[in-house]
Amino acid sequence: MDFLRPASWEEALAAKAEYPTAVPIAGGTDIMVEINFDHRRPEYLLDLNRIALLREWEVGEEVTRVGASVPYTHIMENLRETLPGLALASHTVASPQIRNRGGVGGNLGCASPAGDSHPALLAAGAEVEVESVRGTRMIPIDEFYTGVKRNALAADELIKAVHVKNATGPQQYSKVGTRNAMVIAVCAFGLALHPETRTVRTGIGSAAPTPIRAKAAEEFLNAALEEGGFWDNGKVITPSIAKQFGELASGACNPIDDVRGTAKYRRHAVGIMARRQLVWTWEQYRGTNGRTLEGAA
Ligand SMILES: Cc1cc2nc3c(=O)[nH]c(=O)nc-3n(C[C@H](O)[C@H](O)[C@H](O)COP(=O)(O)OP(=O)(O)OC[C@H]3O[C@@H](n4cnc5c(N)ncnc54)[C@H](O)[C@@H]3O)c2cc1C
């Protein structure tokens, strides 16, 4: 196995163009497991660790740009206000050691349906910035996951950053596992309220071949909130709305039985997480807006 160590982003892109089968290594917390267990023996490893720009982030007015190799720890510590869903998801990844090494670029590169960043990125709304010697393109997060552990990257492309919409409302993320740390999700759910567009977005992890959104649940909730004037009057979400939202989220799942859990359990747990997160985020929305909402129930 040859080890390519580009000193700059340009050198990395040139190396990927010359050796399209080269496997990038960032934190190494996914790829080294595969190599150590002999599940994969790439001809070339392309080490991205000398490239400082991959570890930079920038908070813009509407969007935050997170470099592909920004470790989860930095997201938790520095981006909690602007990207609360992604910060919560980062917090659930593995252990402090893994969170100091691993980042969103590696999670996207791996594209496991169980990756924790995916539901948060889907719910917040994100685009993946990818580049090759041919140029740059932005891939909407909804189009990024193309199959089980497959993504939309071409063989000569690298992930440079992910652009995530800054939160304008409450966001939540939760994950079911057999314990609180060092656990791959049995299933996961993320929810983001977008008051500026009066919409909600969701993300489901580990309950379908790829990370997905619960689109029917979103559409139902968007209509129910609009019809009931909820965004303006700040009423409490009715139990029937929360229940139906949970049921539709559950219905979006297309899970399998595996060592971590059964399909039936995953569907059930996603429905519960969706219902609870709706109540939590809505209560937070009502709380932060309560002072300006006349006659809030
Ligand atoms: C003990 C343990 C526990 C874990 N627990 C969790 C968990 O709870 N939740 C979770 O989501 N994950 C977990 N993981 C998996 C892993 O930590 C994450 O997927 C992490 O985000 C990977 O990031 P990395 O930088 O280490 O990726 P790497 O291992 O360096 O790379 C992962 C994949 O992405 C590709 N890649 C990396 N960077 C780029 C780039 N810039 N452009 C294109 N491709 C790229 C690599 O080629 C490889 O295919 C765990 C891993 C271990 C070892």
Side-chain angles (χ1 to χ4, degrees), residues 13 130-137 156-158:
L13 295 180
V130 306
E131 203 164 298
S132 70
V133 290
R134 294 175 292 117
T136 306
R137 61 184 182 124
D156 62 347
E157 285 178 323
L158 292 171

Side-chain angles (χ1 to χ4, degrees), residues 116-129:
D116 281 305
S117 68
H118 311 312
L121 295 176
L122 284 164
E127 287 183 314
V128 186
E129 182 184 347

Side-chain angles (χ1 to χ4, degrees), residues 23-33 40 48 54 68 72 92-94 98 101-107 109-110 114-117 153 157-159 175 182-184:
V23 174
I25 175 165
T29 61
D30 260 318
I31 192 67
M32 285 313 298
V33 175
R40 225 167 148 180
L48 302 176
L54 294 179
Y72 292 114
T92 73
V93 174
I98 301 283
R101 292 289 307 168
V104 174
N107 221 221
C110 189
D116 281 305
S117 68
L153 282 186
E157 285 178 323
L158 292 171
I159 301 166
K175 154 179 176 181
M182 289 294 273
V183 75
I184 302 290

Side-chain angles (χ1 to χ4, degrees), residues 38-294:
D38 235 353
H39 293 159
R40 225 167 148 180
R41 187 98 345 224
E43 206 179 338
Y44 300 98
L45 270 183
L46 178 61
D47 179 14
L48 302 176
N49 282 285
R50 291 167 78 193
I51 302 166
L53 68 83
L54 294 179
R55 289 189 298 277
E56 292 167 3
W57 70 87
E58 193 185 340
V59 180
E61 232 163 73
E62 291 181 5
V63 169
T64 294
R65 185 180 180 281
V66 185
S69 301
V70 172
Y72 292 114
T73 307
H74 290 264
I75 295 172
M76 288 157 54
E77 287 172 358
N78 301 296
L79 299 175
R80 190 170 289 276
E81 296 292 319
T82 36
L83 310 180
L86 187 61
L88 282 169
S90 302
H91 197 84
T92 73
V93 174
S95 63
Q97 295 87 341
I98 301 283
R99 293 195 291 267
N100 285 337
R101 292 289 307 168
V104 174
N107 221 221
L108 289 166
C110 189
S112 158
D116 281 305
S117 68
H118 311 312
L121 295 176
L122 284 164
E127 287 183 314
V128 186
E129 182 184 347
V130 306
E131 203 164 298
S132 70
V133 290
R134 294 175 292 117
T136 306
R137 61 184 182 124
M138 302 291 282
I139 307 176
I141 194 70
D142 294 72
E143 294 166 23
F144 187 78
Y145 312 105
T146 55
V148 180
K149 295 198 171 184
R150 298 181 74 86
N151 62 36
L153 282 186
D156 62 347
E157 285 178 323
L158 292 171
I159 301 166
K160 196 171 188 185
V162 59
H163 297 235
V164 192
K165 281 191 189 152
N166 295 339
T168 56
Q171 300 186 349
Q172 269 295 340
Y173 178 81
S174 46
K175 154 179 176 181
V176 173
T178 44
R179 55 188 182 183
N180 273 341
M182 289 294 273
V183 75
I184 302 290
V186 173
C187 56
F189 191 81
L191 178 64
L193 305 188
H194 300 274
E196 81 289 4
T197 51
R198 295 178 172 229
T199 54
V200 301
R201 282 178 64 112
T202 58
I204 296 176
S206 215
T210 65
I212 51 166
R213 280 167 65 197
K215 288 197 178 157
E218 292 176 12
E219 280 161 22
F220 158 75
L221 187 57
N222 287 338
L225 293 177
E226 204 55 55
E227 274 162 30
F230 282 85
W231 292 106
D232 297 318
N233 60 30
K235 280 192 299 191
V236 177
I237 287 285
T238 61
S240 66
I241 290 179
K243 184 166 176 273
Q244 193 160 347
F245 177 67
E247 284 170 3
L248 288 167
S250 176
C253 301
N254 180 19
I256 54 167
D257 292 334
D258 68 11
V259 284
R260 295 203 303 279
T262 62
K264 190 175 172 199
Y265 177 74
R266 287 183 156 109
R267 273 199 201 92
H268 173 74
V270 164
I272 303 284
M273 286 190 286
R275 178 166 54 76
R276 286 186 186 161
Q277 284 185 29
L278 173 57
V279 173
W280 296 337
T281 50
W282 193 259
E283 282 306 296
Q284 202 184 334
Y285 174 72
R286 292 176 70 234
T288 51
N289 288 269
R291 283 182 299 279
T292 55
L293 289 168
E294 289 214 8

